Amino acid sequence: MSLMRSLNRALTATTGLQVRRAPQPAAAKPQAVAAAKPAERSAATYRCPSAEDLPTDRLLRRPVFIISSIRSGSTLLRMMLGAHSRLHTLHELHLGRMDVTCNNWHSERAMGALGLGRGDLEHLLWDRVMHRELVKSGKDFIVEKTPANAFMYRRIRDCWPDARFVLLLRHPESIARSWHESDPVKRPYDKAVTEVLRYMTAVEQVRTAATDACTVRYEDITADPERQMRRLCAYLGVDYEPAMLNYGKKSGADLVRGLGDWRDNIRTGTVQPGRALAEDDEVPESLRPMCRAWGYTT
């Protein structure tokens, strides 16, 4: 019989009590420790490279960003610009959804000692990814067209102080109608209007802030593509090339589903006519201020 059992028998007989081993505290799980995140990670901190630091901090030079709402014709514009011998365009990258994390105190302190916060590391990653694609293409400048860029204009500008911006506008009702038609069951027209208005509001804010941007309308591209491509080429500092008007038939390898338009019109390789614009009285009340701001109504 063990000492503990003998002791408990004697205690029970005299006092009615027993001795029990104290429970041990649960050991922390290694994975839980590794997953812990400092509170300051909730906001990405970064610095803007100065003109002196830019050659060291960025591989990419003068990248081009298309700022537009969803369903504004940005994939068409991407294809036309990508047909130029000096401009490389690719599917939407969604840079703002890429995250860099230091998994422990040591790595975070090590990066901090280099003057690199979480946002700085994300910017380095963005720059490296885009520079890699540009080098592979053998061209001179890269063009990125994710619609969500409209919500992160300031950060893009802070990341690449020499970035250039092309603002692509389209009639607000046409945007809403196109977004609704892309999935009528999931997006009834009223819901589509609400969703695209968020994007258009962000684009308008960029239009106010980016005084050095080049603005082009989707309807002008479909009506007179050569004139608009000449305007854009002049802004980007490259010669106009007629191949931009017939960018060539595209396959699934060129158009990735969910990362831009992949439907039949864009696959044809040529500019297709735009849809008829809504009459003023057909435009929902919530879209009318944006129509006026963009010059689509009198």
Side-chain angles (χ1 to χ4, degrees):
M1 186 178 293
S2 70
L3 177 62
M4 178 70 73
R5 185 176 301 175
S6 298
L7 178 61
N8 279 333
R9 288 188 65 176
L11 286 173
T12 301
T14 57
T15 67
L17 302 177
Q18 288 188 349
V19 176
R20 293 285 185 265
R21 190 182 300 274
Q24 297 297 314
K29 296 181 180 180
Q31 59 267 33
V33 175
K37 295 184 178 181
E40 60 267 21
R41 279 226 188 105
S42 60
T45 57
Y46 61 85
R47 58 184 176 81
C48 305
S50 64
E52 294 76 17
D53 293 336
L54 198 57
T56 302
D57 284 358
R58 299 292 178 266
L59 297 173
L60 209 56
R61 292 292 178 273
R62 307 183 72 201
V64 180
F65 291 87
I66 297 172
I67 303 294
S68 71
S69 168
I70 49 178
R71 309 307 300 172
S72 290
S74 61
T75 301
L76 172 62
L77 182 54
R78 167 205 160 191
M79 292 300 170
M80 298 177 76
L81 293 177
H84 195 285
S85 62
R86 299 185 63 194
L87 303 175
H88 177 54
T89 64
L90 63 167
H91 61 69
E92 298 168 4
L93 292 181
H94 295 270
L95 296 174
R97 292 297 184 179
M98 298 170 64
D99 184 47
V100 175
T101 302
C102 293
N103 284 328
N104 60 30
W105 176 85
H106 296 287
S107 62
E108 190 160 297
R109 187 181 184 191
M111 293 301 100
L114 298 177
L116 298 173
R118 171 188 165 193
D120 297 308
L121 294 172
E122 290 172 355
H123 289 177
L124 290 174
L125 176 60
W126 298 355
D127 184 72
R128 181 65 182 93
V129 168
M130 292 182 66
H131 183 261
R132 174 180 181 269
E133 295 306 309
L134 180 61
V135 171
K136 286 167 57 180
S137 74
K139 295 187 177 184
D140 298 316
F141 303 109
I142 195 167
V143 181
E144 214 288 312
K145 50 89 53 181
T146 306
N149 287 342
F151 299 102
M152 50 183 287
Y153 160 75
R154 177 49 58 190
R155 185 150 183 208
I156 291 172
R157 171 136 270 172
D158 288 345
C159 179
W160 293 282
D162 60 350
R164 294 169 290 175
F165 297 89
V166 174
L167 272 63
L168 176 61
L169 308 183
R170 187 181 186 184
H171 193 294
E173 201 283 330
S174 296
I175 294 175
R177 183 70 57 185
S178 179
W179 187 232
H180 160 67
E181 291 173 353
S182 66
D183 195 334
V185 175
K186 180 180 177 181
R187 284 185 291 272
Y189 182 72
D190 289 348
K191 181 179 179 181
V193 168
T194 300
E195 291 179 351
V196 299
L197 188 56
R198 289 180 52 249
Y199 283 87
M200 288 186 282
T201 300
V203 171
E204 177 61 14
Q205 291 172 345
V206 175
R207 197 168 76 98
T208 301
T211 56
D212 55 346
C214 180
T215 301
V216 63
R217 293 188 185 192
Y218 171 77
E219 292 84 4
D220 294 336
I221 293 176
T222 58
D224 193 348
E226 179 177 341
R227 180 180 181 184
Q228 299 309 313
M229 290 307 104
R230 287 186 180 276
R231 286 185 59 234
L232 286 174
C233 286
Y235 170 72
L236 298 176
V238 298
D239 293 332
Y240 167 74
E241 294 180 1
M244 300 172 77
L245 304 188
N246 294 283
Y247 55 83
K249 290 187 176 181
K250 300 300 175 185
S251 66
D254 304 295
L255 301 167
V256 182
R257 184 182 179 93
L259 297 177
D261 195 353
W262 66 91
R263 293 172 177 80
D264 291 341
N265 275 359
I266 204 70
R267 293 176 184 272
T268 62
T270 58
V271 181
Q272 301 297 304
R275 69 170 68 215
L277 301 186
E279 298 293 334
D280 288 355
D281 58 1
E282 297 175 320
V283 177
E285 187 65 36
S286 60
L287 295 180
R288 293 181 184 181
M290 199 63 67
C291 288
R292 289 192 290 270
W294 291 359
Y296 283 101
T297 57
T298 56

